[in-house]
Amino acid sequence: RCDGAILPFVAASKSFDVIVVGSGPGGGIATYVLCRAGLRVALVEAGKRLRPGVDFNAHWNVYEKLEERLKQGLNPVSSVWRDFAARDHFTGIGDSPGHGLLRALGGRSLCWAGHSLRFGPGDFRQWPISYDEVKPYYDRAESFMGVHGEKNGLWNLPDGVFQKKVPIRCAERMLQIGVERLKAKGARMEFVPQRKAIPTEKHSSGRAVCHYCGHCMQGCEVDSKYTSANTPIPRALRTGNLTLLTESTMTRILVASGRATGIQYVDAKGEVIEIGCRALVLACNSVETPRQLLASGVANSSGQVGRNLMSHFGVTVIADFPQLYSRDVSNDDGTDYYHSLLTGLYWDQPSKKFEGTYQVQCASGMLPQRLGVKDVPGFGAGFRQRLKQVNAGHANMNMQGTTLRSAKKFVDLDTARKDRFGVPYPRVHLHYEDSDLAMARDMVETCERVIASAGGKVWSSPGEMAASKLVIDQNHWVGTARMGTDPKTSVVDVRGCSHDVRNLFINDASIFPAYPEKNPTLTN
C-alpha cells in the first residue's frame, strides 16, 4: 500500500551483476568503474535527468522568464537547488539541522561549487587507510574531473594534478596581504587559491572550458563544471553495460541468507518492481543511506548505522576595504563566489579550546544577478552609491569547521512520519556543544585579525557566539556508516564492504571515520 492505494507489483524479471543506488558523486563514479570493468550494472535514481541550459539556465534574461517562473512558484533567477531540491523530506531535531537532497540524475553534483581539496596525511591519521594509499586515486580523480588549482607545497593540503588556476579577486588579495603580515609575526596560517573541478583548459571529457559567468552553484548551463551526469555516467552508457533507471525510488533492500539479493523500487508509473543482483552499492548520501539500512533492518550488528554524524558548520565575517571603493568592477568574473582559502590553522598545534580544525572560504567581487552585501542602510541615490562602494570593497570570510563527533549528533528513523512509499522519514539530530562554539569564536577572532592586518574594517561579525548563530552545511554530512577494521565499532571495512552483508558496499561519504575541515567530494 502507498497512501492507502494498492500499487501494481512486478516480480524480479531482471538481474544484474551490480545495482548502484544513487547517481551523485559516489554513485556516478562507481557506475563508470564497474561498467568499464565489463559488469552489467543497473543505476537506480529517484529523480529525472535535468537538461543544462533548458531545465536550468541562469543565463536567461530574468525579465523574459519572470512571469512564467512566478506562476510556477519559482524564484526569478534559475537555480537547480532552489527549483528542484527536495522539501519536507526529513525531521529535524535540535539546533536547526538541514538535509540537502536533490532527486535528479547527478544528484548534488549538479549544484556543488566544484571545490576539490585533498585530505592530507594528518587527516588520514584517524582512518584505517593512509594518504599514501589514497594518493594514486586522487591523481586519477583530478585528471578525470578536470580540476584547476595552484601548487602550494602545503603538507596537509597536498598538491594535485591541476589545470591552470583561476586568479583570486581584488579584496581576496587584500586578505592575502593581511595573512602574509601575520605570518611574518609568527602566525600559523596559509592563504591559497581555491581548487575546483571546473576546466580552465581543454579536457578529455569534451566539456566546455569555463567562461567565468559565476553561476556554478546555480547549475552550470554550459556543462563545463564536473558532474556525475556529464562525465562518468555518459562514459558508462557508452560501454553498453549500463541500464539507467531514472524516476525510480528504492523502497527496500532485499536480503536472503546473509547476502543482498536485489532491491525493490517504485518506477515513474507507480509500479513496484524487484530486480536482482550479485552485489549492491549504496550511494544515497550520509542521511539517506543509513535511512535505507535502518528501514530494511540490515548491516547494523554494530549499532553504528546512523551514528557518528558529522558535518561542516560556520559563521560569516565580512570585511570592508574602503581603498577599493573606486576600483573598476567590470572584470569580477570567475568561478562562482569563493575563490580562495584561509587554511593551515591548527594542523601542527591543535587548539586547547576545541577539537578539530576549520578553514575559511573567502570571496569577493560583484557578480551578475546578485550582491555579496545587501544590508546597507539608506535610500535613494546615496543608498545606490553606498551599495556599489561596499560591494566593490567587500570580502566574505565564511567559516567551514568540523562539528565535534558525539552521541548528540546522529540519524535515526521517524516512525511517526513516512514518505508516500511507506518508508519512514529520517530524523537528523544536531546539538552543538561547547567545542563547536569555541571553534566559531576562534574563527571570528582570527578573521578580524586578518582584516585589521590588511588595513580593512569589519563590516559585519556575529558578535557574542550562540548555537542559534551557527549554520550547518546540509550538503556535507558524513560518518553515518563508518569505516573500520573492527565489526563491533564500524559498519564497513576498508573497501567499503559491509561487515555483515559481504556483497553490500557503500560508496558515499557516510563511510568517513573522521572528518577534517576540507570539502568531502573529491575524497568521496
Side-chain angles (χ1 to χ4, degrees):
R1 285 184 177 271
C2 177
D3 288 342
I6 301 294
L7 293 178
F9 177 77
V10 178
S13 56
K14 291 185 179 180
S15 186
F16 300 88
D17 293 320
V18 185
I19 297 172
V20 178
V21 184
S23 66
I29 197 68
T31 297
Y32 167 64
V33 171
L34 293 166
C35 287
R36 191 181 179 191
L39 299 175
R40 296 175 299 108
V41 179
L43 176 58
V44 180
E45 167 55 51
K48 63 181 181 179
R49 185 181 188 100
L50 299 179
R51 298 161 296 174
V54 179
D55 296 310
F56 55 90
N57 191 346
H59 283 163
W60 286 328
N61 183 316
V62 174
Y63 298 101
E64 288 181 4
K65 299 280 185 177
L66 183 61
E67 185 177 356
E68 175 187 341
R69 290 182 62 80
L70 290 178
K71 284 183 179 179
Q72 297 177 40
L74 302 175
N75 288 290
V77 179
S78 174
S79 165
V80 171
W81 183 252
R82 290 196 299 264
D83 294 349
F84 298 104
R87 303 286 186 267
D88 190 32
H89 55 288
F90 76 105
T91 300
I93 306 294
D95 293 325
S96 301
H99 168 25
L101 180 62
L102 180 65
R103 296 187 180 98
L105 188 68
R108 288 175 299 181
S109 70
L110 298 181
C111 56
W112 75 312
H115 294 189
S116 300
L117 307 178
R118 294 188 179 201
F119 293 4
D123 303 324
F124 279 101
R125 287 171 183 163
Q126 299 181 65
W127 288 52
I129 53 178
S130 69
Y131 173 76
D132 288 340
E133 293 176 88
V134 179
K135 181 184 181 301
Y137 298 97
Y138 276 140
D139 292 346
R140 290 165 58 184
E142 288 160 343
S143 297
F144 184 80
M145 297 163 73
V147 175
H148 72 252
E150 177 182 79
K151 293 183 183 295
N152 306 116
L154 304 180
W155 77 275
N156 206 35
L157 181 60
D159 295 329
V161 181
F162 298 144
Q163 294 192 341
K164 67 179 181 181
K165 68 176 181 179
V166 174
I168 62 177
R169 298 188 177 109
C170 290
E172 294 166 58
R173 174 59 182 151
M174 298 299 295
L175 296 177
Q176 188 176 43
I177 291 171
V179 169
E180 293 303 320
R181 289 172 177 169
L182 291 175
K183 285 177 63 178
K185 297 178 181 179
R188 293 174 177 266
M189 59 179 66
E190 303 289 343
F191 197 93
V192 299
Q194 184 59 271
R195 304 164 180 183
K196 301 185 184 183
I198 302 172
T200 54
E201 302 172 281
K202 186 177 179 180
H203 187 257
S204 61
S205 65
R207 305 195 319 266
V209 173
C210 180
H211 65 273
Y212 303 143
C213 70
H215 299 159
C216 312
M217 292 187 71
Q218 293 165 285
C220 182
E221 49 271 278
V222 298
D223 239 2
S224 174
K225 178 184 71 176
Y226 172 87
T227 72
S228 294
N230 67 21
T231 303
I233 293 174
R235 291 186 179 189
L237 285 167
R238 287 197 288 271
T239 68
N241 294 323
L242 176 59
T243 299
L244 186 57
L245 302 172
T246 56
E247 299 183 82
S248 300
T249 303
M250 181 178 73
T251 53
R252 188 156 60 95
I253 299 168
L254 305 177
V255 177
S257 301
R259 295 182 64 82
T261 59
I263 67 166
Q264 182 185 90
Y265 72 92
V266 179
D267 70 7
K269 298 178 182 178
E271 291 185 335
V272 179
I273 301 172
E274 289 184 2
I275 53 175
C277 64
R278 294 167 57 198
L280 174 63
V281 177
L282 298 183
C284 308
N285 73 42
S286 297
V287 174
E288 293 299 311
T289 289
R291 175 199 183 196
Q292 294 293 341
L293 292 174
L294 291 171
S296 295
V298 299
N300 194 29
S301 66
S302 65
Q304 294 300 302
V305 171
R307 302 290 160 175
N308 309 295
L309 177 68
M310 296 171 284
S311 187
H312 291 138
F313 74 104
V315 290
T316 299
V317 175
I318 297 180
D320 179 27
F321 294 103
Q323 56 267 54
L324 300 180
Y325 282 0
S326 60
R327 73 179 180 88
D328 179 6
V329 298
S330 62
N331 195 32
D332 279 351
D333 53 8
T335 53
D336 209 71
Y337 188 40
Y338 294 99
H339 269 203
S340 51
L341 286 175
L342 171 60
T343 187
L345 300 156
Y346 303 107
W347 286 351
D348 302 298
Q349 295 182 349
S351 172
K352 296 179 181 179
K353 300 177 182 178
F354 56 85
E355 293 187 30
T357 56
Y358 66 86
Q359 66 180 12
V360 182
Q361 300 185 108
C362 301
S364 65
M366 295 181 69
L367 304 181
Q369 303 175 345
R370 55 181 165 159
L371 295 174
V373 180
K374 300 176 184 177
D375 56 341
V376 177
F379 58 90
F383 163 74
R384 291 194 297 272
Q385 178 66 15
R386 182 69 172 140
L387 186 67
K388 180 179 179 181
Q389 289 177 335
V390 172
N391 276 278
H394 91 287
N396 182 299
M397 305 184 75
N398 179 51
M399 172 189 174
Q400 183 167 291
T402 303
T403 55
L404 179 70
R405 185 176 67 211
S406 78
K408 295 184 177 181
K409 303 177 179 76
F410 61 95
V411 173
D412 63 5
L413 298 180
D414 186 346
T415 55
R417 297 181 66 220
K418 298 182 179 182
D419 65 15
R420 61 195 180 96
F421 305 113
V423 181
Y425 278 114
R427 293 195 305 183
V428 180
H429 299 253
L430 171 64
H431 296 276
Y432 291 114
E433 296 160 82
D434 291 343
S435 177
D436 302 318
L437 293 171
M439 183 186 290
R441 291 189 194 99
D442 190 89
M443 176 271 185
V444 172
E445 294 170 2
T446 298
C447 289
E448 291 182 351
R449 286 172 55 212
V450 170
I451 294 167
S453 177
K457 302 176 181 178
V458 175
W459 174 264
S460 67
S461 187
E464 182 62 28
M465 198 55 61
S468 59
K469 295 184 178 181
L470 303 181
V471 178
I472 197 71
D473 191 322
Q474 62 182 345
N475 296 310
H476 283 197
W477 294 117
V478 306
T480 49
R482 69 193 311 263
M483 174 195 299
T485 56
D486 185 353
K488 295 180 180 179
T489 59
S490 60
V491 178
V492 300
D493 64 18
V494 295
R495 300 177 302 144
C497 179
S498 163
H499 291 300
D500 297 348
V501 183
R502 297 305 290 170
N503 67 334
L504 189 158
F505 296 81
I506 298 177
N507 202 56
D508 58 38
S510 60
I511 70 172
F512 287 12
Y515 202 19
E517 76 284 5
K518 304 172 184 75
N519 299 60
T521 302
L522 182 65
T523 303
N524 179 30

